[in-house]
Amino acid sequence: MFEHSTLISVQVRHGQAEDQKHYFPQASSTIMSITHKIENKLNEAFRPLRLEVIDESEQHRGHGGWKEGGETHFRVKIVSEKFSGMNRLARHRAIHDALEEELKGAVHALVIEVSAPHD
Amino acid sequence: MSDIKSWIEEQVKSNDVVLFMKGSTNFPQCGFSGQVVQIMDYLGAEYKDINVLENEELRQGIKEFSNWPTIPQLYVKGEFVGGCDIIREMFQSQELQTLMSEKGVVTTVA
């Protein structure tokens, strides 16, 4: 059914983050969630072969930087050809640069799993 | 260069291994800092821990010093090595152990 297939495609695209948003209706009711902004910026900057942006805020409930509503602690899993020939620091710095606005703002913690296809 | 940056530079130059973290090695106040403490303790390397929560100027200054937006930050022989993700990956692949021994830092784990 249409509704069923829509739900599946959304979950595949956003992974765990989408599951967690069900508990935080206010996070998904904003015009564009931080999760979406991060996805858009990383897609644009790196044209990744694989990208997963996961909101892990719930695991940090009550810890430093955590806020009600989530979207403070993220994990990014990204595979892109653009990281070929870059060392670990350069890869992380490239991602920090792409997400500068978010890191200076609402995002308190960002776990990065980055690789190039032929690592 | 501002006072805080000179102070940071002095720390990373006068100590072989320096970890800028949230909290202390005995009482890390952030899970990511705690992970790096566990790795360093496992390696048995001597290191100096500096708690950035004790000084707001330091907390911001260290980010500018290394052009790195997050804490913890590990320095070996004056050189910035990385944050929690990088340290963990390098530890798991033995690169961190190799780096330490190449730089002449004594560890208890080969």
Side-chain angles (χ1 to χ4, degrees):
Chain A
M1 307 286 247
F2 176 71
E3 199 177 289
H4 184 61
S5 63
T6 305
L7 182 62
I8 287 174
S9 74
V10 165
Q11 284 183 338
V12 167
R13 201 154 64 86
H14 301 306
Q16 194 185 341
E18 196 61 32
D19 292 338
Q20 292 192 345
K21 267 189 224 153
H22 293 309
Y23 301 104
F24 300 114
Q26 78 222 54
S28 54
S29 66
T30 49
I31 294 166
M32 193 194 282
S33 68
I34 295 167
T35 307
H36 277 87
K37 279 188 192 163
I38 293 175
E39 283 173 348
N40 286 351
K41 287 186 177 178
L42 294 176
N43 270 321
E44 198 172 309
F46 302 109
R47 303 279 167 220
L49 299 166
R50 268 197 55 214
L51 174 65
E52 214 179 328
V53 178
I54 304 164
D55 179 358
E56 295 189 332
S57 309
E58 192 52 24
Q59 293 174 25
H60 300 269
R61 179 171 275 272
H63 296 180
W66 180 83
K67 282 196 217 82
E68 189 69 50
E71 298 212 295
T72 52
H73 295 65
F74 287 92
R75 178 180 298 269
V76 165
K77 297 181 181 181
I78 185 168
V79 182
S80 167
E81 191 63 60
K82 296 209 173 178
F83 298 119
S84 297
M86 290 166 81
N87 68 20
R88 284 197 174 88
L89 283 177
R91 288 173 176 189
H92 280 240
R93 284 202 158 108
I95 292 168
H96 292 159
D97 286 346
L99 302 178
E100 187 182 3
E101 188 189 332
E102 285 69 30
L103 285 166
K104 280 186 176 158
V107 175
H108 174 76
L110 181 68
V111 174
I112 296 172
E113 295 177 27
V114 52
S115 60
H118 303 294
D119 277 357
Chain B
M1 189 178 281
S2 69
D3 288 351
I4 193 71
K5 285 187 187 154
S6 323
W7 185 83
I8 291 168
E9 188 155 16
E10 171 70 25
Q11 298 306 309
V12 301
K13 283 189 172 158
S14 57
N15 298 281
D16 280 357
V17 185
V18 184
L19 176 63
F20 291 87
M21 62 178 288
K22 292 183 177 176
S24 64
T25 53
N26 287 329
F27 189 51
Q29 294 191 48
C30 158
F32 302 109
S33 290
Q35 285 181 38
V36 178
V37 167
Q38 281 190 347
I39 289 169
M40 297 306 290
D41 288 352
Y42 179 85
L43 292 178
E46 269 192 43
Y47 64 102
K48 175 165 185 172
D49 60 311
I50 296 175
N51 181 3
V52 303
L53 297 179
E54 286 180 351
N55 183 325
E56 186 57 33
E57 204 188 347
L58 169 62
R59 187 174 176 173
Q60 290 312 314
I62 190 65
K63 295 177 184 177
E64 288 163 23
F65 181 80
S66 54
N67 183 28
W68 194 262
T70 53
I71 291 152
Q73 296 186 11
L74 184 75
Y75 292 77
V76 176
K77 296 270 183 176
E79 190 186 319
F80 175 57
V81 181
C84 180
D85 300 328
I86 288 180
I87 299 303
R88 196 179 51 241
E89 284 175 19
M90 289 180 72
F91 170 67
Q92 284 164 352
S93 64
Q94 301 276 317
E95 285 166 83
L96 186 60
Q97 294 85 323
T98 305
L99 175 88
M100 296 278 198
S101 75
E102 278 174 5
K103 298 245 179 190
V105 176
V106 179
T107 58
T108 55
V109 174

